[in-house]
Amino acid sequence: MIILMGLAGSGKSTQGRRLALELDGVWLSAGQVLRDANIPEVSAIQEQGGLVPDSLTIKLMTQAIAEAIVAGKYIVLDGYPRTVEQSEWIVENAADRIDAVVVIEVPKTELIERLKKRGRADDQSLEAIEERFRIVEQNIYAVCQILRSKGVKIYKIDGTGTEDEVAMKIREVIQPKVR
C-alpha cells in the first residue's frame, strides 16, 4: 500500500489513479469515497472545506480497503489517513501493508490556480480552500509522526512540473518499496 498526501490540488488524485493503474491496483481517495457515499451532511461539510467526522470516514474507508484486499488489489490511498484518529486506525489495522507515504509538496499559489481550473463545487470559495489547507497542514505532521513511529517510510517530493515528471519523482522513491 502506498499513501499519497498533500494539500488539495497537489496532484494526489491524478498520481494516485496513475499509480494504481501501473500497479494493477485500486485508487482509494477519501474525498471521492465520501462524495460517492452521497450523504447530504457530508457534501455540506466538504463544500465548506471542513473535515467529515472521523467515525464516518473510517467506516467508509475501512469498507473500501477491505473490498480491495479481498479482491487482491494493491492499494493506493489518496488523502487518507488525514487525522490522528484515522492514522491510529490504519497503524492498528494495516501498518504491515504500508510500503511508503509520499507527501506531494506544491506552492500554495500554484495550488489555488490548479483548484480554480478543476472547478469542483468545493473549490469555488477561496475561504473554503484556505480552510482545507489549514486543516491538512495542521494534521499532516502528526499523521506522518504516527506512521513513522511504526516504521513507515515518509518521502517528500516536489509536485511541480508535468504529470509525467511528478510520476517519475514518485516512482523513484517508491519503486524499491512496492511489494
Side-chain angles (χ1 to χ4, degrees):
M1 180 183 319
I2 296 291
I3 299 174
L4 298 177
M5 294 183 160
L7 296 177
S10 63
K12 296 181 307 293
S13 296
T14 299
Q15 294 300 328
R17 285 186 193 103
R18 182 179 181 142
L19 191 57
L21 187 62
E22 289 174 15
L23 298 171
D24 189 32
V26 63
W27 166 74
L28 294 177
S29 158
Q32 193 61 50
V33 167
L34 290 165
R35 281 188 290 279
D36 290 348
N38 206 20
I39 300 169
E41 297 82 11
V42 168
S43 299
I45 292 167
Q46 288 180 313
E47 286 176 15
Q48 294 173 2
L51 282 182
V52 174
D54 281 329
S55 58
L56 180 57
T57 303
I58 290 170
K59 177 183 174 186
L60 293 172
M61 289 302 292
T62 298
Q63 210 172 348
I65 290 168
E67 289 170 10
I69 290 170
V70 167
K73 294 290 188 177
Y74 190 83
I75 300 169
V76 178
L77 289 179
D78 163 357
Y80 186 85
R82 191 170 279 172
T83 67
V84 167
E85 187 174 337
Q86 293 169 15
S87 301
E88 289 170 347
W89 179 90
I90 205 159
V91 297
E92 288 174 23
N93 295 282
D96 59 326
R97 293 183 174 274
I98 304 170
D99 295 312
V101 173
V102 178
V103 180
I104 304 171
E105 298 181 327
V106 178
K108 286 182 187 173
T109 53
E110 184 170 334
L111 292 174
I112 290 169
E113 289 305 312
R114 289 181 183 185
L115 293 173
K116 286 179 185 176
K117 290 177 187 171
R118 185 165 75 177
R120 253 183 16 208
D122 55 341
D123 295 334
Q124 299 311 301
S125 160
L126 184 57
E127 292 78 24
I129 291 169
E130 289 173 347
E131 177 64 7
R132 287 191 353 239
F133 286 174
R134 187 190 65 71
I135 291 170
V136 172
E137 285 176 322
Q138 179 180 333
N139 290 323
I140 203 164
Y141 178 79
V143 167
C144 287
Q145 286 296 95
I146 291 167
L147 295 171
R148 188 178 286 118
S149 75
K150 292 296 181 181
V152 176
K153 298 292 183 190
I154 313 285
Y155 300 94
K156 293 181 179 182
I157 65 146
D158 176 4
T160 59
T162 67
E163 183 181 321
D164 288 340
E165 290 168 341
V166 175
M168 286 297 295
K169 293 172 192 176
I170 292 172
R171 262 189 250 111
E172 286 173 7
V173 297
I174 67 159
Q175 203 66 23
K177 285 100 184 135
V178 175
R179 297 176 191 151

